[in-house]
């Protein structure tokens, strides 16, 4: 009762990174609330899930293992979570803001009348005062709002569970203890689902893995609308190749056709944490900064000395990207021999 739950996304027996990131954050929140962290695995052949999630601090792992539950379909997963939450009454429930989480979260929260905050960029515990009443230990569900122009902190004082979805990469994935031991609870799936939950079946699946690996790149070179054209954007590829990094882009650059959407970094794209992030021709609106602000070192190249990104950059180069980037490539090649 009153514990913190994380729904695990699982593909071919492997727990997805977004779920491990939520377990990492969930462990910290649970410690602050003095409650247990519980994980929910729904799928098929889940025998290796425990060894994947317990090192991240999960105290309890709920297993729902049935061939009919994989691959994911909306109805049975919804029925299981709704009945589990009605029985266990968690105070907080977290899931990834993925295609699955965005389908499952609203269904569960609607059935439980609990409310849901989508696409959170931060989660904290705090108090709230309303109408001379003080609520303690609420989940602060923090996310950009109004097109990213403000950061909203949303609380749910009265309904439970407090539900939120978080995008992959927003939270840091970190093992707590390789020897951490939790308890596994295996449930009888038939007590949670009915035949009507399986009216839809998956006949065939085709999954095409992305050829772009920005999320795990140690070096990311990103270009913005300030690159001026698709031809000029090729300088970003040249610099990334020289440094041995991946190419990223701002939303404005993607919308202008300078780069493909899978390279978009920011609130509506990918979140990255490279050792080095080079931002070229990017003004640094909050939507973009949300996706790269935790990079270890940030270099900003911009002809605007007052560009917002300069405020978070470790190094600022003021000048035209067409002039600066070729010089960066030249001097790196010269001094890396």
């Amino acid at each position: 009762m009153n514990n913190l739950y994380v729904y695990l996304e699982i593909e071919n027996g492997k727990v997805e990174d977004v779920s491990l990131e939520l377990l990492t954050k969930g462990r910290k929140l649970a410690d602050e609330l003095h409650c247990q962290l519980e994980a929910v695995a729904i799928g098929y052949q889940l025998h290796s899930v425990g060894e994947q999630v317990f090192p991240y601090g999960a105290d309890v792992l709920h297993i729902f293992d049935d061939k009919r539950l994989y691959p994911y379909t909306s109805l049975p997963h919804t029925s299981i979570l709704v009945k589990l939450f009605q029985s266990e009454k968690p105070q907080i429930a977290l899931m990834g803001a993925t295609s699955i989480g965005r389908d499952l979260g609203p269904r569960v929260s609607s059935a439980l009348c609990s409310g849901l905050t989508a696409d959170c960029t931060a989660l904290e515990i705090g108090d709230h005062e309303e109408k001379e009443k003080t609520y303690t230990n609420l989940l602060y569900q923090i996310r950009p709002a109004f097109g990213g122009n403000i950061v909203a902190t949303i609380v749910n004082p009265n309904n439970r569970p407090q539900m939120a979805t978080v995008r992959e990469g927003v939270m840091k994935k970190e093992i707590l203890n390789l020897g951490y031991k939790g308890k596994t609870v295996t449930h009888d799936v038939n007590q949670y689902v009915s035949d009507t939950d399986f009216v839809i079946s998956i006949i065939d699946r085709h999954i095409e893995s992305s050829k772009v690996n920005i999320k795990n790149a140690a070096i990311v070179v990103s270009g913005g609308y300030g690159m001026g054209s698709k031809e000029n954007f090729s300088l970003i590829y040249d610099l990334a190749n020289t440094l041995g990094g991946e190419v990223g882009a701002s939303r404005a650059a993607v919308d202008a056709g300078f780069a493909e959407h899978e390279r978009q970094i920011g609130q509506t794209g990918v979140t990255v944490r490279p050792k080095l992030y080079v931002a070229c021709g990017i003004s640094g609106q909050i939507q973009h900064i949300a996706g790269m602000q935790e990079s270890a070192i940030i270099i900003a190249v911009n002809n605007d000395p007052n560009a917002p990104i300069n405020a978070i950059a470790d190094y600022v180069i003021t000048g035209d990207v067409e002039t600066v980037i070729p010089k960066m490539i030249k001097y790196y090649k010269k001094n890396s021999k």
Side-chain angles (χ1 to χ4, degrees):
M1 304 287 282
N2 286 327
N3 289 333
L4 190 155
Y5 278 62
V6 172
Y7 170 82
L8 303 177
E9 290 195 29
I10 302 167
E11 185 63 43
N12 292 322
K14 181 179 180 296
V15 180
E16 298 287 0
D17 283 349
V18 66
S19 299
L20 299 178
E21 291 162 6
L22 287 175
L23 286 174
T24 301
K25 184 64 178 181
R27 180 69 269 165
K28 295 174 182 176
L29 296 175
D31 287 343
E32 197 170 343
L33 292 167
H34 306 292
C35 70
Q36 288 193 321
L37 172 63
E38 307 198 25
V40 183
I42 305 174
Y44 184 51
Q45 296 181 332
L46 305 176
H47 49 273
S48 68
V49 172
E51 63 190 48
Q52 296 180 61
V53 302
F54 287 135
Y56 290 87
D59 297 303
V60 180
L61 171 62
H62 297 270
I63 294 284
F64 296 84
D65 196 326
D66 190 298
K67 189 174 183 179
R68 298 170 297 172
L69 298 175
Y70 180 82
Y72 169 86
T73 51
S74 305
L75 297 180
H77 282 241
T78 300
S79 291
I80 288 171
L81 277 191
V82 168
K83 290 178 182 177
L84 179 67
F85 288 173
Q86 285 174 335
S87 171
E88 298 293 325
K89 294 181 169 51
Q91 61 173 313
I92 294 172
L94 306 176
M95 58 184 68
T98 61
S99 55
I100 289 177
R102 286 173 174 143
D103 174 71
L104 182 61
R107 292 174 183 269
V108 174
S109 66
S110 176
L112 297 174
C113 300
S114 65
L116 170 72
T117 302
D119 289 333
C120 292
T121 56
L123 300 171
E124 298 174 5
I125 302 298
D127 300 335
H128 175 66
E129 290 188 10
E130 183 178 313
K131 297 180 180 178
E132 299 182 355
K133 184 175 181 180
T134 299
Y135 300 86
T136 60
N137 291 332
L138 291 180
L139 178 67
Y140 285 0
Q141 301 156 59
I142 302 166
R143 57 154 296 163
F146 293 102
N149 292 312
I150 65 169
V151 175
T153 299
I154 299 168
V155 294
N156 183 355
N158 299 311
N159 296 31
R160 296 293 180 270
Q162 302 165 85
M163 291 187 64
T165 64
V166 180
R167 286 191 302 117
E168 183 178 1
V170 170
M171 306 296 177
K172 189 175 182 180
K173 180 179 72 171
E174 196 169 54
I175 288 176
L176 176 70
N177 181 351
L178 286 172
Y180 198 88
K181 299 296 182 183
K183 180 177 73 172
T184 300
V185 179
T186 302
H187 296 265
D188 180 358
V189 173
N190 291 321
Q191 294 184 2
Y192 290 81
V193 298
S194 63
D195 291 340
T196 56
D197 288 323
F198 298 99
V199 293
I200 296 175
S201 60
I202 306 297
I203 297 173
D204 188 25
R205 298 173 79 211
H206 176 72
I207 301 175
E208 186 172 336
S209 58
S210 174
K211 298 176 183 178
V212 178
N213 188 23
I214 303 178
K215 187 184 70 169
N216 297 315
I219 299 173
V220 176
V221 181
S222 283
Y225 190 73
M227 292 304 299
S229 67
K230 190 171 184 178
E231 290 70 30
N232 281 348
F233 201 89
S234 63
L235 291 171
I236 300 296
Y237 285 90
D238 293 342
L239 181 56
N241 290 335
T242 302
L243 298 177
E246 271 285 1
V247 172
S250 69
R251 178 173 179 173
V254 171
D255 289 346
F258 298 170
E260 56 267 41
H261 182 265
E262 58 187 343
R263 296 190 182 278
Q264 183 174 317
I265 293 171
Q267 181 186 339
T268 52
V270 179
T271 299
V272 296
R273 285 187 180 87
K275 294 179 180 177
L276 173 63
Y277 189 88
V278 185
C280 304
I282 295 175
S283 62
Q285 298 302 315
I286 190 172
Q287 296 96 324
H288 185 78
I289 289 176
M292 46 66 68
Q293 61 188 342
E294 293 192 27
S295 304
I297 297 176
I298 300 171
I299 299 174
V301 181
N302 204 300
N303 60 7
D304 180 6
N306 298 314
I309 199 166
N310 294 351
I312 66 164
D314 298 284
Y315 302 95
V316 175
I317 302 174
T318 303
D320 293 329
V321 288
E322 298 95 326
T323 303
V324 174
I325 295 177
K327 287 184 178 180
M328 293 176 71
I329 294 171
K330 177 183 176 181
Y331 283 104
Y332 181 81
K333 287 180 176 178
K334 178 181 177 181
N335 293 293
S336 62
K337 292 180 181 179

